[in-house]
Amino acid sequence: MTNSPTSGTALVTGASAGIGATYADRLARRGHDLVLVARDAGRLSALAETLKAQYGVAVDVLRADLSVAADLRLVEKRLREDAAITLLVNNAGIGPKGGLLADDIDYLDTMIALNVTAANRLAVAAAQAFSARGKGTIVNIASAVAIIPELFNGTYSGTKAFVLAFTQALAKELDGTGVRLQAVLPGLTRTEIFDRAGGSIDALDQNRVMDVADLVDAALAGLDQGELVTIPSLPEKADWEKLQAARFALGPNISHNKPAARYAAA
């Protein structure tokens, strides 16, 4: 197995199942010690024992509900103070229960707290700590709907668009510091997120649903290749590069001292 771009301890949020648990397995296989973060202490402990026995790595369990400010700050404190941590996998989050107009607004607030507020706070804490140490990697789990938000629930798509834009901007700010960033944009993935939201992954077109192991393996391959943005399902890298080129082509015209002529009064 190819070694990870960094050495040391990886902190993985949302690690009790799905994408987070699979990252924990793959990173342990690569020789990382682990700090596993999630709400379900029982599942975390069981996973920790399995990974320690299978790979011989050290695994700490940090039970936290990242939608709760006090818990979030405990994880932030660990990131800032534990110099052994060189990799953050910012994965914790929840999905929608259905269409936006039928969703519960309090649940949507919790989604924003997890998908945006917690992700932002932990990534900024890691960026500040890692840049001071001169090395580290931050992996932020976004979603393919970040670039085509019309396909899904608006609040969820908006949270993932935040993660993508945040990662791109932070990467620019961290250039030259020794800290690497990656945003991973999964499409439909076979995880518990659909069951927790009251749906079923089995009801979807299975030709569009990726196995979680394939997703994480592809994401880690993208990280090894130095990608800032990894879309595991995308066949042609050139398609993403064209989108980026079109976006940057707008740059010279997004800020002028006068409105465009097409907005002049008739």
Side-chain angles (χ1 to χ4, degrees), residues 21-185:
T22 306
Y23 260 104
D25 176 86
R26 296 305 195 262
L27 293 172
R29 182 186 298 182
R30 289 176 171 226
H32 279 277
D33 293 330
L34 297 168
V35 178
L36 304 180
V37 179
R39 292 178 298 174
D40 191 328
R43 293 179 78 174
L44 283 181
S45 296
L47 176 61
E49 292 305 314
T50 297
L51 296 177
K52 286 189 284 188
Q54 188 167 1
Y55 299 114
V57 297
V59 185
D60 285 348
V61 168
L62 184 53
R63 190 269 166 199
D65 180 345
L66 297 181
S67 68
V68 176
D71 286 7
L72 177 58
R73 280 161 176 74
L74 285 175
V75 181
E76 176 190 353
K77 186 174 186 289
R78 183 67 180 268
L79 275 170
R80 291 188 183 279
E81 296 181 358
D82 189 344
I85 297 175
T86 57
L87 171 59
L88 167 65
V89 179
N90 217 357
N91 165 70
I94 56 175
K97 295 180 178 179
L100 184 60
L101 298 184
D103 219 332
D104 173 53
I105 198 163
D106 290 329
Y107 178 82
L108 296 176
D109 279 350
T110 301
M111 183 189 298
I112 293 168
L114 279 170
N115 295 9
V116 175
T117 303
N120 178 78
R121 191 171 190 96
L122 296 184
V124 171
Q128 291 172 342
F130 292 170
S131 60
R133 299 169 197 159
K135 65 176 181 178
T137 300
I138 300 167
V139 176
N140 293 322
I141 306 301
S143 168
V145 298
I147 52 177
I148 312 180
E150 296 89 346
L151 292 178
F152 212 50
N153 175 291
T155 300
Y156 179 81
S157 297
T159 66
K160 294 306 183 177
F162 171 85
V163 173
L164 173 59
F166 169 76
T167 304
Q168 291 169 310
L170 186 57
K172 179 69 173 178
E173 189 167 343
L174 288 170
D175 188 34
T177 66
V179 182
R180 298 181 54 212
L181 279 97
Q182 182 195 31
V184 179
L185 277 60

Side-chain angles (χ1 to χ4, degrees), residues 138 180-184 218-219 221-232 234 237 240:
I138 300 167
R180 298 181 54 212
L181 279 97
Q182 182 195 31
V184 179
L223 182 64
D224 290 341
Q225 293 168 23
E227 291 185 344
L228 173 60
V229 177
T230 296
I231 307 175
L234 188 66
K237 184 179 180 181
W240 172 253

